[in-house]
Structure formats: structure tokens, C-alpha cells
Amino acid sequence: MAGILEDMTTPSTDTPARLLHLLSLLQTPREWPGGELSERLGVSRRTIRRDIDRLRDLGYPVQATLGADGGYRLVAGKALPPLVLDDEEAVAIAVGLRAGAGHAVEGVEEASVRALAKLEQVLPGRLRHRVATLQAATIPLTSGDGATIAPETLTVIASATAGTERLRFHYRAADGSETRRLVEPSRLVSTGRRWYLVAYDIDRDAWRTFRVDRLTEPFATGARFTPREIPDGDAAAFVRRSVSSRGAVPYRLDVEFSAPVDAVAERIPGAVGTLDALPGGGCRLRGSVPDPVEWMAVRLAMTGFDFRVRGPEELISAVRELGGRLVRAAP
């Protein structure tokens, strides 16, 4: 990862360092003539061919071309082998993931947070400082209307979840009361506006859903646990039921899209509802949601697909009002 290639002056007799340097060059999207690789690494073409074979044995799909000089390039394979990132690439990826995770951007789901946790775990201290400085100086052009969350909070939770470690944190309830919790984290769920943690509460001996923006000072205790089965085995459905039972009065959402299920699923989080295919290639979204109808109207419009709202009447009115407002705004 980042920092591995800090010193490229390593003698060519150091095979591991030479392989990393070779891999870094091949990950640039171009074809490298064997002679050029030989000159850059200071070894013979025969050594280059051997190193290419070593990379292939490690799972890197290196393609060779025939010719007087011959060439090599890295191509897509069946599996993703480890990537070697230079400093600038690592910083760029970390900043992008932190910005998306911190604002709960729709589409940045648990897998992205896990990737951020893995990357920040191996970032050298100097690069962590660069990432933090750059993000602090960056103002996003757009963001959701959900609460902003510190990326560090998400990465700590994601790491504890992946490592099956018990997690401690302070939690502020909707009424303002604060408690100290000890949980077995199971899943992070994003609804597009907010992040939720589904976890088994040790002291209360029950499954609970926690809004991550109300969670502070998360700490992985290091104590391992055996994962339990989430009720009904569906974290998104559990969050949906939990949120619906609190405060906001849920309503039954019923929307038809003129787009296939897979395409709509990429734009609508699973916590919103269930998608079913319809004859003709469309699909139907149904679920029980507590979100304001005005927000849901905007969310549906932002999918980029044609849709028709079947219910409820309040949402139909909100969509009609939104459409009229947009038409009036256009000169």
C-alpha cells in the first residue's frame, strides 16, 4: 500500500523491492516494452521475464505481446489482487472515501466504509495528516440533508464489525439522555440521509438500532464475540422496522419505475423498501418509510428514471408540487 514504494533507489538485487517497483509501473494503464522496464529497473530482460512470471504466480494478470522488443501490460482478471498505491493515489482515494462517508452520500455503502477502514489502517502518519488537512480545507459543493458524521467514527465501527470486537460508545437518545453502551456490532446500514448501526446490546440483552450521528467516542475493546443472527436475517429490514416504530409516522410507499430492478437498486437504498420486477422490464418499489414526503419526492426524482407514484396521496401531491416548481423555475 502507500509508503511501500517510498524508496525506489533500492538495489536491483533486492527482489521484493524490485517486484513492487515493477508492479507499480505495470499498474499505469499503458504497455511497457521489455527494454524500457529493463532500463528502469537496472536488470536484464531475462530477469524482467522471470519477475513477470512471479507476478503471475501471485495472481496478477500480466499480458505479454510478441515482437522484436515485446511488451507487458496489466489486464483485468477474475479476482482483484492487492494494489500498490503511491502517496498521491492513496491520499486521493482516502479523501474521496472520507468525504462520501462523512456526509452519508447515497451509494456510499458499508463496503466503502470497510475500504476506508483498511486504507487508513496502513496509511503512514504523514499521509494521515495530509488527508485530514486536505479534507478540512475542502468544502463539498453538495451534500445530503442528513447529519454529518466524522469518518473516524465510521471506520472504528466498521473495523470492530469486521473483526467481531465488542464496541463501547456514548449514545444520545432522541430525548437528549445519554448512556454508555457495550454492544456486539453486526452491520452498518446507510439510508442515504443517515447511517445506522445494528448491534446486540449486551447490557439490555437485545438487538438495537443506533443512529451513528448520535454516537460518540466509539472504542473497540478487543474482546471478541461469536456473531449472532440478526432478527429475520436482514439488517436493512430491521432498521426500517426500528425507525418506523419511533416518532415519525410511517406511510406505505408504492412506486413503479420504467427501469429494471438492478438499475433502480443502485439508486435506492434497501432500507427504503423492496423492489420487484414487472412485466415489460420495469419494477415496483414498496415499503414502509417515515421520511417526509417532500424528501421522498426529491429522492425519487434524483434516480434519473421515469416513475409513477401509486401511493400515498400525500406523496403524489408532493411529487406534483415538486414538478410544478421545477417547471416554473425553467425560463
Side-chain angles (χ1 to χ4, degrees):
M1 295 300 293
I4 287 180
L5 306 178
E6 293 176 8
D7 185 5
M8 288 304 183
T9 62
T10 305
S12 60
T13 54
D14 188 341
T15 302
R18 189 179 66 248
L19 283 175
L20 286 174
H21 193 176
L22 174 60
L23 179 58
S24 177
L25 294 174
L26 291 174
Q27 285 180 338
T28 302
R30 56 161 289 193
E31 183 171 300
W32 290 87
E36 186 175 349
L37 291 175
S38 176
E39 292 177 6
R40 280 180 172 259
L41 298 178
V43 295
S44 68
R45 297 189 183 189
R46 182 179 180 182
T47 299
I48 292 296
R49 289 193 294 271
R50 289 178 176 175
D51 286 348
I52 292 294
D53 288 337
R54 291 189 180 100
L55 290 178
R56 287 170 176 161
D57 290 340
L58 292 172
Y60 293 94
V62 182
Q63 185 180 77
T65 56
L66 302 177
D69 195 21
Y72 302 96
R73 62 191 297 265
L74 199 62
V75 298
K78 295 181 180 179
L80 176 66
L83 298 177
V84 177
L85 306 175
D86 63 26
D87 287 1
E88 300 304 323
E89 293 167 340
V91 169
I93 292 174
V95 169
L97 290 173
R98 285 169 63 96
H103 289 277
V105 175
E106 185 173 338
V108 181
E109 306 295 346
E110 184 186 1
S112 298
V113 178
R114 292 201 309 270
L116 176 60
K118 292 178 181 178
L119 179 58
E120 294 202 337
Q121 183 177 358
V122 298
L123 279 180
R126 58 186 176 77
L127 293 188
R128 285 199 190 97
H129 177 72
R130 286 178 59 184
V131 170
T133 300
L134 182 56
Q135 188 179 27
T138 303
I139 299 175
L141 181 62
T142 60
S143 64
D145 62 357
T148 299
I149 303 170
E152 293 83 359
T153 297
L154 286 170
T155 55
V156 169
I157 296 173
S159 296
T161 301
T164 59
E165 294 182 52
R166 288 185 174 181
L167 187 72
R168 288 190 182 276
F169 54 84
H170 288 285
Y171 191 70
R172 186 185 74 257
D175 60 4
S177 61
E178 295 191 5
T179 54
R180 184 73 170 169
R181 301 298 184 97
L182 175 64
V183 305
E184 295 176 354
S186 180
R187 290 291 300 274
L188 276 167
V189 176
S190 170
T191 64
R193 299 175 65 210
R194 295 189 177 96
W195 282 97
Y196 291 90
L197 168 64
V198 177
Y200 190 83
D201 193 314
I202 301 299
D203 296 328
R204 291 157 181 77
D205 194 25
W207 283 94
R208 291 288 188 270
T209 298
F210 303 94
R211 269 180 50 175
V212 177
D213 58 293
R214 294 177 178 170
L215 185 156
T216 58
E217 300 180 32
F219 173 73
T221 65
R224 305 285 181 176
F225 64 88
T226 301
R228 306 170 190 259
E229 183 69 21
I230 298 176
D232 297 330
D234 189 334
F238 184 81
V239 169
R240 187 162 57 244
R241 288 194 302 272
S242 177
V243 171
S244 298
S245 65
R246 304 173 187 171
V249 178
Y251 54 89
R252 296 296 303 175
L253 179 68
D254 190 351
V255 181
E256 292 183 4
F257 288 93
S258 299
V261 170
D262 292 344
V264 177
E266 294 179 356
R267 310 288 179 87
I268 296 290
V272 174
T274 302
L275 285 167
D276 297 307
L278 294 175
C283 64
R284 187 174 185 178
L285 172 66
R286 284 178 287 191
S288 178
V289 295
D291 293 327
V293 290
E294 294 80 9
W295 163 254
M296 185 55 63
V298 173
R299 175 191 287 274
L300 294 172
M302 290 180 66
T303 61
F305 302 121
D306 290 340
F307 65 92
R308 179 180 295 275
V309 179
R310 298 297 185 186
E313 288 297 330
E314 295 84 357
L315 180 57
I316 294 175
S317 298
V319 170
R320 186 179 294 115
E321 174 60 27
L322 175 63
R325 187 178 301 122
L326 293 177
V327 170
R328 292 192 296 272

